[in-house]
Structure formats: C-alpha cells, structure tokens
Amino acid sequence: MPPPSTTPTERSPLLRTTLSSHHLSSLAASADTSDHDAAKPQRDVAWLSSVKRRSALLSDMMARGSHSAFEPPRLPTEEEDELDSGGLRSPLLSPYEDAPRGGGRGVKRAWGYDGEFRKELEYGETGNGVRVWYDNFHSIDWIHDGIKNALRTRKLRMRARTEGVRGWWVNVWDAAQGWMLVTLIGFLTACVAWVIIRAEGLFFDLKTGYCSTNPRLSKRFCCPEVQPVMSNLTIARGAVGGVSFLNNWRSLEEEETCAAWRTWGEVWSGSKAGNTDGDVWPVDLVAFIVLALGMATLASTLTIYLSSSTSVYSSKDSPSVPHPGFSPDFPTAPMSSSIHSQYGATSTGVDDEEKLPPPRARRTMYFASGSGIPEIKTILSGFVIRGYLGTWTLATKSVGLALSVASGLSLGKEGPFVHIASCVGNILSRAFPKYDRNEAKRREIISAACAAGVAVSFGAPVGGTLFSLEEVSYFFPPKVLFRSFFCAMIAAVTLKLLNPFGSGKIVLFAVTYDRDWHTFELAGFALLGALGGIYGALFCKANIWWTKHARNGTFLKFHPIVEVALVTFVTVCVSLTNSFTRSGGTELVASLFSECHRDDSFGGLCVNTPELAWKLIGSLLFALVAKALLTVTTFGIRLPAGIFIPTLAVGACAGRVAGLLVEIAHARWPEFWVFESCRTMSEDGPLPFGQSCVLPGVAVGTLAGVTRTTVSLAVIMFELTGTLSYSVPVMLSILLAKTVGDAIEPRSIYDLVIELSDLPYLEAKMEYVHESTPGEVLDDEAPFISLDEDNTVHSLRMKLARLYSDGSGGGFPIVGKDGEGSRVYGYIAAKELEHGLTSAGLSSPNTPCTFRVSESIRSGQPLPASRGTSPNGHDFSWLTDIAPVTVNVRSPMEYLHEMYVKLGVRYILVTDERGLYLGVIEKNRWLKYLEFVEKVQKLQKTPPGWNAATAASA
C-alpha cells in the first residue's frame, strides 16, 4: 500500500527539513532553465547557479541554527507521489516484502528496505535510487548502504539542532542501540555456550553410564573426586593399539570407580553401582558403540533435514526463485544463446527458435554443518545467504553440536561457537531498524558477535577481538573494534559467572605455567613450528582431496548420513585402542598442556622412569597419527564440526613427545653443557625425571599451519596459559608455521573450503599480478536496456528472464545512442527491475515502461523539471542508479581491484576515452578473472620439468 496522504503540516518537520534543500534547488533551477531548447552552456550555467543559491540558503540556515527562517515549498500530495512513481501505487512494497508499520508523529511510513529514506533516495540529489531487499545468493551494495546511513545520521543531527531536548534524546538513543545490542549478544552467546557445554558433557559420559543420584549430571559433577586416568600400570601394559584394545578397555573400566556412577553393564546385570557380580564389560562396550553411533547419526539427520538451503524460504527472496506457494510469473520467452568467454561469464544473443530453460539449480547447502567460519567470512564480505544466520540454524547447530562432540568424533566446538554467536547477533539485530534495514551496518554487529564466539570458546576476549579482525571480518572500522572487544568481554564474564565446568574457568584446558623456558628450547619450538606448518599444509591438501574424490566422488555423496555412521564407527574402534584417543578432545588437550609436578599424573602423562617414557611416547605417537587421519576424514561431514581442538591435540601430542625425548636425553647425559640451565644455583644435582628440564610444549604450530592465523592465535594462547612468559617461543613457532605452510599451500583450510563450495568471496589479502586490461575482461555483449527502443512490460520481462536463465549478470546498463556508439545514463539492478515489474500487477504486456530521469539526462533537461512531467505507463526512475560506477578503458587493473575490495561495488561500467559505453564487469565476472590470474601465476611458478596440466589442475 502507498503511504497515506497527509498535509504539509501533518508531515514530520524532520522530513520537511531534509527535503527543503531539494525543493529550493528545484524552484531555482526551474526558474533559470525554463527554456529547455536553449543552448547547453546556458543550461549548465543555470544549474550551477541553482546549486550556489541552495548552498547559500543552507549556509544561512546552519549559521542561525534553525530552518524556521524560511518556509519550504509544499511537499507532493499522494496523487503527485503516485504520478512521480510512474503510476505505481506501491513504490516500495511488494507481495514478498514486509508489511508497512505505523510510524510516529502522525506519519504512516512505508517500511521496505529503503522505506524510511524513500523521499531522499527518490527525490534527493544522491542519484543512487531506491533498493529493495537483496536477493538470496547475491552481493549487497556497500555504497548504497553507506549513503543510507549518511542520510540517517544527517536526520539525527538536524533533529538535535532543531528539536531541543527531544532531539538530543533521540540521538542518545541511537548511539546507545549499538552498545545495548552487543551487550545482549555477549550475554546470550554465553548462555547458549553454557547449555551446549553442559549438554555435551552429559551426553559424552552417557555412553558409559549415568549418575544414580542425579541423572542430569555428567560424571564430572556426579563424581568430582574421581576422574578418568591412565596410570603407569596401563602404560606398562603397552596398550597402544589394535590387538590389545579389549584389554585396554577392561583395564580402564577397572580403574574408573565411583559409587554414584552406574555403568550400563551394572544396569544390565541389575547390580548396584560399583558392585558387579560378573564380567559385564561387553555390555558396556556395545552400549558405548551404539550410543556414539546414535548421537552422530542424529546430529547428521537434524543437520540435513532441518538446515538445508532448499528448505529455507523468505518473504524477502525474489519471486523468480520457485518455492512452495508461488509460481514464477515469467512467460515462456526466446532464449539467449550462450557465448562463453575465457573468464567463464556468458553473453547473450537472441535465438527465437529456442525456448527459455528453467533457472540454473543452486547448490544445496547445509547451514548447520561444518564450522561455519568460511561461510561467515563470505557473508561479512557482502554476500547474502538467506537463513544461514537464522533461528532454525541456531537451534539445529546448538543441538547438533552437543551431539556430535559427545559422540567422540575428532572435531571441536570452538569454530561452531563463532557461527552460533553470529546467529545470535543476526537475530537480535532484527529488533533494531538501524541494523535490520542496513545490511552493511548489520555486518558490523556480526563481526562483534564473532569475537564473542571466540571468547566463549577459549576464554580469550582479546584474542577473540583480534580473531574477528584478522580472520573473519571484511570491513572493520575502529568503532567496530571497540564494540567487538566489549561484546567479547561481556561474553567471557557471563560464562565465567555461569561456571560451566565447575572449576571457575571458562575453558577446561586453561593452564598456568609457573616455570620459565630455557634458551636451548628455542630450537625445539622452532622445529615444532616448522613441523606444524608442514602438517597444516598437508592436512589442507589431504582434506580437500578426500572431499573431492572420496566424499563427493563416491556413493557417499548421495548418502551423507551413511558417511557419518561409517566415520563414527571407525573413530570409536580406533579410540578403544588408546586411552588418549578415547578421551574427549578438550580433556586430552588439558592434560597435554599441563606441566608435571611431584605426585601428579594428568592422565598418565607424568612418568618417573625412562622405560615408562618410551611406552608413553609410543602411545602419544599412535594418538597423534590417529587424530590426524581421523580429522582429515571427519572435517566436512554433514554435522557441526570444528577444527581447532583436534588440531591443537595433534600439536600438543607432538610437543609432549619432543619434551619426553629431551627428558630422556637429559637423564642419560645430565652433565651435558646444554642442560646446565636446567638446574638452579642451589641445586647440586638434577631434579627427578620428568620435572627437571623441558616443559610440555604448547604446540600451536599445527593450528597456525591449518588456519594461518598469527597475532590472534598467539594472544589466545597467552590468555589460555595466563602468562606472557612463553610469548617469544609461541610467536616463533607460529611465524615459522605460517611461513612454511604458505610455501607449500598458500591458502588456509577456510579459503580452500570457500573455493570448494564455490562461494563468491573476494580475498582482500591476496596480491595479483595483472597483465590484462579492462577492455579484455569486460563483457561487451551483456544485456542492456536501450532508451531508443520502445520498452514495455513484456519486453522487460523477457530481458529479465534471459538474464536469470543465463546467469550472466546482476542488472542492466541503461544506454542511449550517441553518434557511432552508446552512452550510459544509468543502471538498474535485476532485483529492482523485477520489483518494479511485480508492482505493475496486471498491467497490459504492451504498457510502456520509461526511465524518464535517464531520458532527461540524455536530453539535457534539468532533473528537477523532469520529475514534474507526466509519463504514460510505468516509470522506473526511482529504482535506477543514475550515477553508476564508471571507469575508463585505460584504467589500470589495480584501480579496478581496489574498487571491488575497498568500495565493495557490485559492478563497474567501462567507457572509452569519449565516454561511450563499451561493456560491464560484474563482480562474479571479476572473480572468474581472478581465478584465471591465479592459474596463470601458478603456472609461472611451476618448476622446470613439471607437467603444466598437472600444475593447473592442482
């Protein structure tokens, strides 16, 4: 419905003030340019004079601090609004947009995406036009959202100057909204994390039994005095793998005793807790396997059937996307033959004998699967994935994450916490129109939410803020940095008050070191960093190979739940062969990170003789290899899964093995000069074995090699250990890991997943060597709308249908003939044109459609006067960008790349030296070009003797 008719006195003074400058300039320009047939220089002088007069009036108003000194002209009535919109009664709302809400101060506002700023964008001097909701799987318009935010800020400042105390309070409320929102996000993220941690602990222990005193308690809270351990006796038995896994299971069952904890074998035999009358370990074993399989398959089932992209529909989506309850209103039309360029985009040419095929099928995404960080990076770069941060995804991912981690799979919950926090931020932002109606502002809130997700994962608010800045966010202004830090702090404080582990710590594997490192240990940290970089690069390659050839190249592609069940069964069987692989990921990392003191065990990791150390090294090496291989096959299956904890476990195993090897060497050669620093001045001889020299290394090199994060990862480790004593070794290890990893595989696992998922992410950190020109990249046969043709409802529908079928672009340049070529007079996006055609309703197919503002620019008619004409049919000027981004064909490619990266443009129009239109470069076409450049650079770096085809396919 259109906005209701109101008199000038009923309209908002704020709206009158904002529009007054436009109407003043309109009157001035109309007075000086009444003769439209005069020479063009005279029109230019008159237009400049009107601008100067408007500037003088605005300056005078600012000097007095009020706009009441002059009365603005009368605003258009409802009938004039309808006329200026080309006869459209609903210029902003459509059947697939939100219904209008009631506004304050007696004004009914039309609330589409740009409803609040309709007048400024339609009648104002920005020339950017009105936008509707961005379509699914399309990019946002950063420039337009920036203009809209500037208009909002201008209104607020005007109200502060003109409305006294009320205007001041309005500005205070606007400034407080962001802080209120990030506070709520931090608090609710911590609450959701607390529920998931408690549920995951309960489900994990449920595989072995339940608490007889309170079934809702996990074993940690049911039996706080008893924790699963791996004693020296178990190590001495050599339970490393394979043949002895049943004996290992039985020995572990014998050592874990608690009066309140009742195992499933005891339930089966009917005996009381701790008093089994027979050997019931087979029942415990079967229950363990069955429950693990059940939890994993349930998590996968929820993920596939509740978070599939094919099941997510929104009223904001384009009606050209078929979904239940809607039939596309595009009739059968001639199809354009596809002309493929070397960069993969298509151009069009009409073939009347071919029929229009259905739109290309989109790839199915499962929103709750994986860690979510690659998709969040893509969303923050400006891509729209409807439903990925919605309520259903939040619920499904939370439940599925608790089940998948509890099943014992080689995965973590830290990465998915970032996704969950982003869902919380996106959902809460809907309550604030300032963020709900501006996708660029919404992404600022999501960036802050990502920091909260890392804060509850590692108990590291500073590291979470830096992680959001370094790894996830695409646009990160200073105010977002401050709000992200505040949001992360609120989340960390709230989770500490909730105390999920009952230890007063936010995370289970937080440790504190009370001894410093030795100088000779730097060599070991450097070696671990280099090995971590090698492991990270090989892991990335192996995981992508497994996904392409095993997961997507076999029957598993069509049976993802079967794949989850198989991976879970193999994981359970392997975990039973070794105590370290059987324990949970966070528990294992907590033990591996801890240093040894007298009478400490930490799950059997502290030994007192070299003989036991060798057996422990064997068990740790088996756990290292098993964790690495299982993580390769697990990361990417259809359930919530993170990569942080398994990778840290692999690195911690390597660090522990390195420490034990040096301890053995020190026990054999205690007087060697290298070990002199291990003794203090008051000691006559070496300390007992395991406590004298090397501390357990926090091997973050593997995580740095996989994710390629540097500063944020180092700060996270500092906050985890609670000390800066190990700052130099940790930084050295991380830097070497990233350097070595980049030399083998330049991209992180997140970037590789983005490429594998075919997400349109423009990497801002990548450096490209351009050897092409804009003229070689542009699409010179892209569809356009000509002002010299008779555009009707039918003809524009046909153009739009061809565009959707070919997938060749996101809109239409509006051009007109000028001598031997054509000149650009505007650009209308496909979604805006579709909205205009949908608003046309049941109009005759032959109803004319005009772009009279573009036609006025072409004819030299002043814009304010052109808005007073009465077009026949429908006019789409209010949806048109009359100031499209345009570059010269001789512009350097680096200039275009910076426009895409830093301005976030969706398209660039290319003209020649005379300003004549040559073609368009859509963002998706630019991404295809960058892929082409990467392949060329990879071929140029190929060593002599390599097969070029092999290098290109790699």
Side-chain angles (χ1 to χ4, degrees), residues 194-253:
W194 180 83
V195 173
I196 294 174
I197 292 172
R198 284 296 182 91
E200 175 262 324
L202 175 61
F203 295 157
F204 186 87
D205 293 334
L206 195 64
K207 295 182 297 183
T208 61
Y210 72 96
C211 183
S212 58
T213 58
N214 188 351
R216 295 178 299 175
L217 296 180
S218 64
K219 193 170 186 179
R220 172 177 299 278
F221 296 97
C222 183
C223 307
E225 73 282 355
V226 177
Q227 295 298 329
V229 297
M230 182 178 180
S231 65
N232 294 341
L233 175 62
T234 306
I235 298 173
R237 289 175 178 173
V240 174
V243 179
S244 58
F245 83 93
L246 292 179
N247 292 331
N248 183 40
W249 170 269
R250 298 181 64 180
S251 65
L252 288 170
E253 291 297 312

Side-chain angles (χ1 to χ4, degrees), residues 389-440:
L389 302 178
T391 307
W392 269 110
T393 303
L394 173 62
T396 306
K397 187 125 190 175
S398 300
V399 176
L401 180 60
L403 292 171
S404 61
V405 175
S407 67
L409 288 168
S410 182
L411 48 83
K413 56 181 178 291
E414 284 68 26
F417 271 163
V418 177
H419 185 189
I420 290 172
S422 300
C423 291
V424 174
N426 178 69
I427 294 169
L428 292 180
S429 66
R430 299 172 184 171
F432 298 86
K434 171 182 176 181
Y435 299 100
D436 183 41
R437 309 287 166 166
N438 193 312
E439 290 291 341

Side-chain angles (χ1 to χ4, degrees), residues 701-712:
T702 53
L703 188 55
V706 172
T707 63
R708 307 300 163 83
T709 53
T710 53
V711 179
S712 59

